[in-house]
Amino acid sequence: MARLAGRRALFAVPVLLVVTFGVFAIAAASPFDPVKAYAGTAALGADQETLDRLRENLGVDRPFAVRWWDWLTSALTGDLGHSTVLRQPVAQVIGERLVWSALLCAVAFAVAVLLGTLLGVLAARRPGSAADRAVTSLAYTLEAAPVFWIALLAVWLFALRWDVLPAGGLTDTGSEHVSLGQVTSHLVLPAGVLAVSQLPWFTLYVRQGVGDALAEDPVRGARARGLSERTVLLGHALRSGLLPVLTLIGSRVPELITGALLVESVFSWPGIAAATVEAATAVDFPLLAALTTLATAAVLAGNLLADLLYGLFDPRVKLSDM
Amino acid sequence: MSTRRIRGAAATAALAAAVTACSAPGSGGPGDAKSAGSVVIGVASEPDTLSPLLGYGKDGNSKIFDGLLAHDADLKLKPALAAALPEITDGGRTYTYTLRDGVEFSDGEPLTADDVVYTYRTVLDPKTNNTFKSELDAVKEVRASGDDKVVFTLKYPYAPFAARTVLPIVPEHVAGKQDPNTGSFNTKPVGTGPYVLSTWSKGEKLTFKANPRYWGGKPKVKTFTMAVIADDDVRATRLRSGDLDGAVLPPNLAATFKGDDATRTYEARSYDFRAVTLPTAHRVTGDRAIRRALDAAVDRRAMVDKILDGAGRPAYGPLPVDDPAFTEDIERAKDLGKAGRILDEAGWKPGEDGIRAKDGKRASLSLLYPSGDKVRQDHALAYASDAKKAGIEVKVESATWEVIEPRMKDTAVLAGFGSTGDPDFGLYTLLHSSLAGDGFNNMARYDNPAVDRALDTGRRSQDPAARKAAYDTLQRALVQDPGYTFLTHIDHLYVLADRWDGLTTQLEPHEHGFASGPWWNIEDWQPKQ
């Protein structure tokens, strides 16, 4: 297991190098002007001397490969650089916001996995039943619905029509402190929407996996031995039916991240999303590179986690062979 | 490692992550949002920085900082950190300020002349990444004379200089120890103003608390929050639900609060104009007859009524009609007959398709506007339809600033500008030929010697009557040779809960929302009994 993790970590190094280099190259080729982004609306009243001075001070005319190398070498010493557009050290930008994004993603992911498993098992118990048809069609509908659309719908229904949940923010606008109760009530809508957007994948995979397992010999054998339906379903079918879901966990991480970006902007959630969008449009190299590295690392870690779980739960798989 | 132990470890890690995530500072005081002592305002964007060295509050409208001088409701200058208006000597080249006694920064350190000198020298340092250094172009030297006197020496007599000294003063003992471009002062400001920053949750909100050390007395409004909500509709919704006490709104959404007894709508008049640039390099707009015809053909009144819902005024020049420096006899109505006569005389003959032509060139031009800006789009379309009636074809296109910028030297753009404080601030950069095509200054590359002379007189003369005369000359010259078609001055609209007395608005510049609004003097608000 340690060997697997170690090998993956070694593999991650060239991937991260290529990804960050690509980010610098794409950003340098983008039509956005970092000087204008830095100056913001003030650029529209600035004279050429001011724009030239900023261009020089910000060092934006250096070739992107040189800037990438500078960023990389200082990042290795622990200095992630300085975000020009947010006027803060990159480490601070990430530190302030990442925790809220991580909370949002973790809650949404947990809800999606649990609820998805529950609905999947419900549907798999009697293929073709009313429950199966309802769950399956719901899953296909949600699969097709864009996440920002679901988010706007949720705001309209829960915040405007029923007025039961806040429409945005981390806490009530008037309150000064971040309290557990406030964050919880403000988390419900964004995390719920994100969970719902991930739900169909888990539901459909579990339904398929458990459905197949119910038809397999070990389960039939268990039934024949007179074990209760509950034991058969949860102890035998679910356990082998969950295996494909474990691989799914890793592969859903990228979409979870992109989904979180949309959800955060709709709900004014102070996560990393707004910073990512700003970093991209402002050609803020250090911030963009750090965020991309982070996202790439999350995807790689997600895949590793899925493989590890698979090895642990499936007795047929040996981690040393992976 | 066994499966069981790994499962246990995973559960512990997940729990630890959840606990860390939730243990953010504070246990949550009673969020009594409805008391008049706390105000929550919804604004569309948040500042990049709170450091005056990089531009925050440079026009004297920061709640955390004070300048040497400040503006009152009528934009007249009044002393703030200076004990009195400056002493002007040496024919307008030397400005001496005496500091007010007993002013402390919010960390308890006293304000000294060295802080003022540090602030101005840092702003003027080419290494500091601000965008407004050129506004202090006239300054040759700034030095302290004793503990409480600051002396500015100018390169040339610059009449409106005092209005530039509303620039907020920062404490040298804090800001001086950091890199002004990247230091923590950008997000953790320390000033002398009525409020101190209490928390800044980036992308969500900024909370301010009354500064107990404020030299101007304790404000009645104790806490004050700026919630950052980019979407106009969401801002209106949260205002209606009581989550916000006030917000900046576009005209159509502000109108939905009419007849609501619990709120009041404030219309802040502004210098914020919308105009079409008419580049001199273009084969059609370079012709003075075309510019004059366009100027006569536009229906400014209809634009104010239809596009702005009445919340604005027709613009007959860069200065709004209620500015003291506005020349009243230049007001003019739409006159299609006059437009036709001007074009006839200049040899622009109507063609078969109704578009005029002269020597084989069609009276046709493109007009760019920044995409996504509804108000500018409406102005551009109305302009095109008015121009067509005079036989001039205007092709309206939308684009981002990245696309517009390289084209603006020879393509008309629907631009918006406007500065408060002094006529010189907005007009010089807009019209002076020496700044033609210099960044976003003088976008139309306007070049008129009479206007240049008037701008120079207005800038250098110390005599108010001579300055007024110069700006009169300029406004009349602009009517004879319009480098821009000025369309409207737009009002900025704010809707606030009706729980305070004495709310007013200032004349506002082009930029607004965070710094301007009825909360420009929130430290003076009195809760209603």
Side-chain angles (χ1 to χ4, degrees):
Chain A
M1 194 175 132
R3 276 189 51 199
L4 176 70
R7 236 183 18 245
R8 289 296 182 82
L10 274 181
F11 172 68
V13 173
V15 170
L16 284 174
L17 284 179
V18 169
V19 166
T20 54
F21 188 80
V23 166
F24 273 74
I26 292 169
S30 85
F32 296 110
D33 182 354
V35 174
K36 297 260 163 45
Y38 180 86
T41 47
L44 299 181
D47 55 2
Q48 199 58 46
E49 186 267 328
T50 300
L51 296 176
D52 291 345
R53 183 167 51 87
L54 285 179
R55 188 168 293 279
E56 167 138 14
N57 286 359
L58 297 174
V60 296
D61 284 339
R62 291 181 302 147
F64 76 86
V66 175
R67 312 193 64 192
W68 173 73
W69 184 250
D70 286 352
W71 174 82
L72 189 70
T73 43
S74 66
L76 288 176
T77 62
D79 176 12
L80 290 177
H82 200 275
S83 161
T84 52
V85 71
L86 294 169
R87 319 282 203 273
Q88 273 180 306
V90 169
Q92 193 187 344
V93 174
I94 293 175
E96 275 174 10
R97 299 175 185 243
L98 187 63
V99 64
W100 300 122
S101 286
L103 175 69
L104 177 68
C105 288
V107 170
F109 205 62
V111 170
V113 171
L114 292 177
L115 201 62
T117 308
L118 193 75
L119 288 176
V121 170
L122 200 70
R125 274 175 63 185
R126 289 203 183 76
S129 69
D132 180 28
R133 284 207 304 276
V135 167
T136 317
S137 47
L138 177 75
Y140 281 123
T141 313
L142 288 179
E143 200 181 332
V147 57
F148 70 88
W149 181 78
I150 303 178
L152 289 175
L153 201 68
V155 170
W156 175 78
L157 188 65
F158 293 99
L160 297 190
R161 294 302 298 260
W162 294 345
D163 196 19
V164 287
L165 287 166
L170 181 65
T171 55
D172 285 348
T173 325
S175 92
E176 253 180 87
H177 301 286
V178 181
S179 69
L180 188 59
Q182 290 237 336
V183 173
T184 311
S185 69
H186 282 75
L187 181 64
V188 173
L189 271 190
V193 167
L194 192 55
V196 160
S197 75
Q198 296 296 315
L199 189 64
W201 310 96
F202 294 108
T203 307
L204 294 173
Y205 263 68
V206 170
R207 176 184 169 275
Q208 191 65 41
V210 174
D212 289 349
L214 280 173
E216 277 171 13
D217 288 343
V219 175
R220 297 230 303 273
R223 277 219 175 102
R225 291 203 301 277
L227 294 179
S228 75
E229 186 64 24
R230 200 184 134 87
T231 320
V232 172
L233 194 66
L234 299 182
H236 293 77
L238 184 60
R239 187 157 173 184
S240 67
L242 270 185
L243 285 174
V245 177
L246 294 179
T247 45
L248 191 63
I249 287 180
S251 64
R252 294 316 299 168
V253 169
E255 186 155 327
L256 188 72
I257 293 173
T258 49
L261 294 190
L262 294 169
V263 168
E264 281 182 15
S265 4
V266 173
F267 290 98
S268 329
W269 188 256
I272 209 88
T276 310
V277 175
E278 251 183 288
T281 56
V283 202
D284 188 342
F285 287 100
L287 184 57
L288 201 55
L291 291 174
T292 317
T293 309
L294 211 65
T296 314
V299 172
L300 294 174
N303 282 324
L304 176 64
L305 182 73
D307 287 347
L308 289 177
L309 289 176
Y310 206 90
L312 288 171
F313 286 97
D314 192 336
R316 291 165 301 184
V317 176
K318 278 207 183 112
L319 279 172
S320 51
D321 294 342
M322 289 176 89
Chain B
M1 228 193 273
S2 78
T3 308
R4 181 184 296 264
R5 273 184 46 210
I6 288 173
R7 275 186 198 153
T12 316
L15 194 67
V19 169
T20 328
C22 298
S23 64
S27 57
D32 191 8
K34 287 290 144 272
S35 91
S38 108
V39 177
V40 184
I41 305 288
V43 291
S45 58
E46 71 182 333
D48 299 321
T49 167
L50 291 178
S51 169
L53 302 173
L54 296 184
Y56 169 70
K58 72 177 177 71
D59 295 318
N61 36 22
S62 159
K63 295 294 102 184
I64 312 172
F65 296 96
D66 297 298
L68 290 169
L69 304 182
H71 293 298
D72 67 8
D74 302 323
L75 293 183
K76 285 210 183 63
L77 289 170
K78 59 177 185 184
L81 293 183
L85 293 178
E87 227 180 286
I88 306 169
T89 51
D90 193 17
R93 282 172 205 258
T94 304
Y95 282 65
T96 308
Y97 292 80
T98 308
L99 295 185
R100 189 182 291 273
D101 275 341
V103 177
E104 287 178 351
F105 286 102
S106 58
D107 62 358
E109 293 289 320
L111 168 87
T112 68
D114 288 337
D115 294 314
V116 181
V117 172
Y118 166 78
T119 302
Y120 280 88
R121 284 194 182 153
T122 312
V123 165
L124 287 167
D125 184 346
K127 287 203 175 59
T128 307
N129 291 341
N130 60 48
T131 49
F132 67 102
K133 178 177 165 269
S134 57
E135 292 183 355
L136 295 172
D137 186 49
V139 177
K140 187 168 136 202
E141 196 205 4
V142 50
R143 63 186 168 83
S145 159
D147 250 6
D148 67 341
K149 267 199 171 54
V150 180
V151 184
F152 292 88
T153 315
L154 305 188
K155 294 176 198 155
Y156 48 85
Y158 184 44
F161 180 70
R164 289 296 189 206
T165 56
V166 297
L167 176 74
I169 301 303
V170 304
E172 185 180 15
H173 68 270
V174 182
K177 291 182 184 132
Q178 312 175 354
D179 179 345
N181 297 326
T182 58
S184 62
F185 195 75
N186 282 303
T187 47
K188 293 190 181 67
V190 174
T192 53
Y195 289 89
V196 291
L197 179 72
S198 135
T199 54
W200 184 359
S201 168
K202 283 239 177 182
E204 192 200 1
K205 65 187 172 187
L206 296 95
T207 310
F208 302 92
K209 265 198 163 62
N211 175 7
R213 291 197 170 87
Y214 180 50
W215 53 272
K218 271 192 192 166
K220 291 278 190 300
V221 174
K222 300 279 177 243
T223 64
F224 149 49
T225 305
M226 287 289 196
V228 183
I229 305 160
D231 190 90
D232 293 334
D233 290 298
V234 174
R235 225 178 306 123
T237 305
R238 287 174 67 173
L239 177 61
R240 193 166 282 116
S241 75
D243 187 24
L244 303 177
D245 295 313
V248 191
L249 291 176
N252 58 335
L253 285 171
T256 62
F257 286 87
K258 271 184 191 143
D260 179 353
D261 286 343
T263 62
R264 283 190 59 185
T265 301
Y266 298 84
E267 296 182 359
R269 303 197 144 200
S270 80
Y271 281 70
D272 189 4
F273 63 75
R274 294 292 175 266
V276 175
T277 65
L278 301 172
T280 42
H282 187 264
R283 60 194 166 75
V284 175
T285 56
D287 186 330
R288 202 167 103 176
I290 293 278
R291 301 154 176 242
R292 292 186 59 208
L294 284 168
D295 191 86
V298 290
D299 191 346
R300 299 176 167 90
R301 173 50 61 190
M303 292 187 186
V304 171
D305 292 341
K306 301 270 165 48
I307 301 173
L308 302 177
D309 224 353
R313 284 144 301 148
Y316 303 104
L319 295 175
V321 288
D322 46 6
D323 187 80
F326 178 72
T327 306
E328 278 173 19
D329 58 18
I330 62 164
E331 287 189 37
R332 52 203 185 272
K334 169 189 164 183
D335 190 345
L336 266 184
K338 186 179 167 195
R341 281 195 302 281
I342 294 170
L343 291 171
D344 285 340
E345 280 167 25
W348 290 92
K349 298 275 177 279
E352 277 173 19
D353 55 354
I355 304 303
R356 289 172 185 260
K358 177 185 178 181
D359 307 336
K361 26 175 207 191
R362 269 161 58 85
S364 168
L365 58 129
S366 297
L367 171 59
L368 295 166
Y369 71 89
S371 39
D373 189 329
K374 176 90 172 32
V375 173
R376 289 195 204 201
Q377 180 185 9
D378 290 348
H379 276 88
L381 293 172
Y383 187 74
S385 116
D386 286 348
K388 186 148 195 214
K389 289 178 196 146
I392 300 170
E393 181 184 47
V394 175
K395 289 176 283 190
V396 175
E397 290 173 48
S398 79
T400 62
W401 281 112
E402 278 79 15
V403 175
I404 295 175
E405 200 203 340
R407 291 180 62 186
M408 66 194 184
K409 62 177 182 300
D410 57 4
T411 311
V413 177
L414 212 128
F417 286 115
S419 302
T420 51
D422 192 279
D424 175 74
F425 296 168
L427 300 190
Y428 195 89
T429 51
L430 183 75
L431 297 168
H432 203 283
S433 62
S434 67
L435 296 175
D438 178 4
F440 285 84
N441 289 335
N442 194 352
M443 273 165 73
R445 289 165 160 71
Y446 186 65
D447 185 354
N448 181 332
V451 168
D452 282 354
R453 269 197 305 279
L455 284 168
D456 289 328
T457 312
R459 167 161 279 202
R460 289 169 189 236
S461 172
Q462 296 289 319
D463 175 14
R467 298 192 72 204
K468 170 89 172 99
Y471 289 119
D472 279 346
T473 312
L474 177 147
Q475 290 174 75
R476 294 208 178 89
L478 264 180
V479 176
Q480 292 311 311
D481 179 17
Y484 300 75
T485 314
F486 294 96
L487 303 175
T488 58
H489 278 97
I490 68 177
D491 288 349
H492 299 154
L493 297 180
Y494 306 93
V495 178
L496 270 90
D498 193 15
R499 285 190 276 122
W500 304 275
D501 278 330
L503 271 60
T504 54
T505 55
Q506 282 179 314
L507 262 170
E508 296 183 355
H510 173 54
E511 278 140 35
H512 68 289
F514 192 77
S516 316
W519 46 88
W520 73 275
N521 65 343
I522 190 167
E523 65 274 19
D524 297 334
W525 288 13
Q526 300 296 328
K528 267 193 178 165
Q529 296 307 315

